[in-house]
Amino acid sequence: MLLYNSQVSGNCYKVRLLFAHLAIEYDRLEMDVVDRSNRREVLGELNPALRVPTLVLDDGRSLGESNAIIFHFAEGTQYLPEDSFERAQVLQWLFYEQYSHEPNIAVARFWALFDVSPPSSADHELKMKAGRAALQAMDAHLTDRPYFVGERYTIADIALYAYTHVAPEGGFELEPYPAIRAWLQRVMGQPGHVPITA
Amino acid sequence: MLLYNSQVSGNCYKVRLLFAHLAIEYDRLEMDVVDRSNRREVLGELNPALRVPTLVLDDGRSLGESNAIIFHFAEGTQYLPEDSFERAQVLQWLFYEQYSHEPNIAVARFWALFDVSPPSSADHELKMKAGRAALQAMDAHLTDRPYFVGERYTIADIALYAYTHVAPEGGFELEPYPAIRAWLQRVMGQPGHVPITA
């Protein structure tokens, strides 16, 4: 399989981390996340969102959206519960991650890492506020649970770990969230864990 | 079951539409989408995102995120494919909807319907541009397909129909997208279809 990848992208890291846990082999093609001028040419037929990660299977079929990719490859493994309601809870957190977490925390990090100007200072402040609210909700949920769903490590943890552990790069302090900090350690201690740089 | 609902919300409409197709009965509790001051009090224990739809099952367990709810209830029905890769494609479009479509089209519609000021005019213009790009990608995909996945009506269509059919309320013209307009008619013709006002 071929992964259209960005090494700095937390969304791509979710796929790389699950594939490391599952010992799935694949090739990578690195895409620029600042100069996106070749996106339509390279990804136009593969992913309507023109984003990374995009995965091309050995039979040529392609799949986009990080959380769709990890859900697909987690099916039938220990990283996705078999119970129907627990699977729905995993999906709840995957959608939470893409709607309430990533658009704030990942985007603020992107602006900071690549020195990109936000549309307005009001927009930047809104993203910081919404990002802190997303972290607060995670911290509250983790206060009496080791992992997000079903008391074990699943793709819900993989998806939320991706941008949470690098949130300080976007200006988000993790010191106010002790339950998140303890959970980050548990995630890093999983067999087969690899860092975002791997 | 009890659905914390907003009649105007396309996200809530997805759940109501699938439940209508499946003849699932439930109660509704209407939430204000402008004055959200009671959200933590009412939804704090039920949904970390404090958003509607939130569904409370008869056994008291709760589930948030519209697309997680419809995925859960579509499992084992004609509205979600059994094939693993087609299910992944459905998820791809569900995540596309929540990341590339809803945050632009639904938010611009919300601003217009409730006379809410965007954070900045730059932000408003970015949302209009990104919303049009989302519609363009949908139109291209639908040009040679009747539905989003597997040539039949699934929850991918339900999720994308919800805010697309009311996109003109947010200032998005649908005239440039003939494949979308034909698809809207096919969706409305499904047995058991109900409008967003139902």
Side-chain angles (χ1 to χ4, degrees), chain A residues 7 12 18 26 32-33 52 56 72 125 130-131 149 174 186 191 193:
Chain A
Q7 203 61 32
C12 294
L18 178 67
Y26 60 100
D32 199 312
V33 290
V52 291
V56 181
H72 181 59
E125 187 41 49
V149 177
L174 294 182
R186 284 191 289 273
H193 181 82

Side-chain angles (χ1 to χ4, degrees), chain A residues 51-102:
Chain A
R51 293 167 63 212
V52 291
T54 297
L55 186 70
V56 181
L57 279 61
D58 289 337
D59 64 10
R61 294 184 297 180
S62 60
L63 197 56
E65 301 296 333
S66 57
N67 290 347
I69 295 170
I70 62 174
F71 189 97
H72 181 59
F73 285 92
E75 284 210 85
T77 79
Q78 66 183 283
Y79 302 105
L80 185 64
E82 286 190 24
D83 176 75
S84 172
F85 188 75
E86 285 187 352
R87 292 160 70 92
Q89 290 179 308
V90 166
L91 281 173
Q92 172 183 316
W93 284 107
L94 295 184
F95 284 108
Y96 179 87
E97 190 269 337
Q98 282 287 284
Y99 194 89
S100 299
H101 186 280
E102 200 266 16

Side-chain angles (χ1 to χ4, degrees), chain B residues 69 77 87 116 119 186:
Chain B
I69 295 170
T77 78
R87 293 161 69 92
V116 172
R186 285 191 287 275

